[in-house]
Amino acid sequence: MSQFSFQLLHGDATTSARRGRFYTPRGVVETPAFMPVGTQGTVKGVEVNQLRRTGAQMILGNTYHLALRPGAEVIRRLGGLHAFSGWEGPILTDSGGFQVFSLASQAKVSDHGVEFRSHIDGRRMEFTPERAIEIQQSLGSDVMMVLDHVVKLPNDRDVIRDASRRTVAWAQRSRDLTIRDDQVLFAIVQGGLDEELRCQCADALVALDFGGYAVGGLSVGEPPEDMYRILDITCPRLPADRPRYLMGVGRPEDLLSAIARGIDLFDCVMPTRNGRNALAFTDEGRLRLRNRRHHDDPRPLEADCPCPACRRSRGYLRHLFAAGEMLGPILLSIHNLTYYQRLLSAAREAIVEDRFDAFRRQKLAGWGLPLSLWP
Amino acid sequence: MSQFSFQLLHGDATTSARRGRFYTPRGVVETPAFMPVGTQGTVKGVEVNQLRRTGAQMILGNTYHLALRPGAEVIRRLGGLHAFSGWEGPILTDSGGFQVFSLASQAKVSDHGVEFRSHIDGRRMEFTPERAIEIQQSLGSDVMMVLDHVVKLPNDRDVIRDASRRTVAWAQRSRDLTIRDDQVLFAIVQGGLDEELRCQCADALVALDFGGYAVGGLSVGEPPEDMYRILDITCPRLPADRPRYLMGVGRPEDLLSAIARGIDLFDCVMPTRNGRNALAFTDEGRLRLRNRRHHDDPRPLEADCPCPACRRSRGYLRHLFAAGEMLGPILLSIHNLTYYQRLLSAAREAIVEDRFDAFRRQKLAGWGLPLSLWP
């Protein structure tokens, strides 16, 4: 009997946004939720105590990276990914599919699985649907993702169709495996920007009855309206009583537009990667902290933000980047993660109060973005 | 009326170690105490909340670095070094003397002061005793250090004598300045490894009646026994009711040997610099975390250490360094700072219980160091 369930609390009256609650053995995740990315067993530069205080409920780990280094067996011997990293809340691990097809070299795919060379040491490796689950079982993540076949976009329709078909076949093989009831399996809808292929893939996966459904292969350079078009046709085909996860997305404006379409879970490196590069998210748009104009600015990034970066001045943060101090990337990563969590928390409130559309418009206006571009 | 005072609580019966209490407007410092180094307005990689939890009571800031970047005036406008950095406890700033003579290029010294070029942008600058205090007044540090003339060792006796004489003359000019009663001025004893010059310098400075006394110009590559010889003759000449500060020292074994000679305050980059380089201090000696033998070691660095690094395994810490993750340097810096603070806390307890000599011998034995080398 699975220890996971998803409770739908409220549907927004103005959009398809959903307020939900994802129950896991390691705690409840209030949705919509944003998962910070801890690629190699740590959210870059952020200690777990700091991470918890940003409001993060659940984090993501990368199966591909962890399998290569230090190796799933080492992590298993060290007590699993939770004990290893010190993060006690729920963890979702991806399947490695995206990285094998983007980071690794010489990826050779067959119906059996995918062979590739490690981008770290060139070592030859193989992921099969079974091996991807076995690795995630060693890691001991709470949510495991099935191995999927991700192709570059744009691409030939036949290539996308073939990858989508293989993704479903791999999902079937994953579904047939025995998994513990303190882990749950999510499937990934593929199909590129082709509405028909997306629908076929979604329907086939739904028939297999997974604990949750991800939409993959988006946010890979396509115009936003293409992503939203795919979400518009995919989300309604997914069961209402399972969490929906949009992988690798994204900018704050993307999150709100996807929430409006019924997405519940997100992950993205954007808050931390941008933080390391001196870019801060605020309700009035983005700030580039390397800019000289901040050098003696006594204001915090945001007056009402409770994060440690906002207990200092912009002048101080600018100084840290100018002086090459590690604390600059650390503080801005923490601020951006806090910004994302506060945004999602406010979004959850807006949904419950049936004013998500107005909320989204107000945020876009604050960021200086036209609604036409983020429909 | 100065808001600073130093209370001698207990003298160890087995050594010259002192247990004291240094009262400052921003809090009490239990001595002997170790001050983490926040060169550029931050202890590298460590957020102030984390820093406080290591047990740090007082930290150090570098006048030279801060004057160059972002500039003392910018820090003053941003509320002073406490508000700037977020550290609310006491701060000691050095005078810049050591850095001018070691880091800056083309330093030209006269009795008036020292001209030099910034090591960052080559800008021509000048420090005089008056300017060094003025900068520290802008920074708003609690303890200000007088400008001193530091020379390389070994050196001609005449050069050392001249620098020592100039240091006293500069201290006299600093003493004549008006300072607020929420800041206090410490003088610095120079004189190289020459006992006679050290005694002359100490006596002259003591006659000027400073709030505290530092021993400078040591730990610059000389054998430990030379440093201890100088402490042996200098400490007894300093007034018992003022804190004694050994600048830039040092290794755990140096701290204990200096405490045994009556030193109260220390600062050193060693815990953080070594932490960034994957070296951890423990009661059983140093661990190099890059070493492959740690890769699946489930033990923490130290079983009884409360720091966040010790809530993980050595295998995890090794992985962070192998993967180039920022969290490796962060966690090891925090562990080493915690190690230093716990060492000093235990030293304070040993002094009060009149067993400091036995304490020191036991620590040296744990570190695998012969007492003969750290007399």
Side-chain angles (χ1 to χ4, degrees), chain A residues 40-41 44 316 319 325, chain B residues 40-41 44 47 316 319 325:
Chain A
Q40 305 191 107
K44 288 191 191 303
Y316 179 66
H319 162 70
E325 284 286 350
Chain B
Q40 303 191 109
K44 289 193 190 303
E47 211 273 321
Y316 179 65
H319 162 70
E325 284 286 349

Side-chain angles (χ1 to χ4, degrees), chain B residues 112 210 250 290 320:
Chain B
H112 177 64
F210 284 90
R290 284 192 197 280
L320 293 177

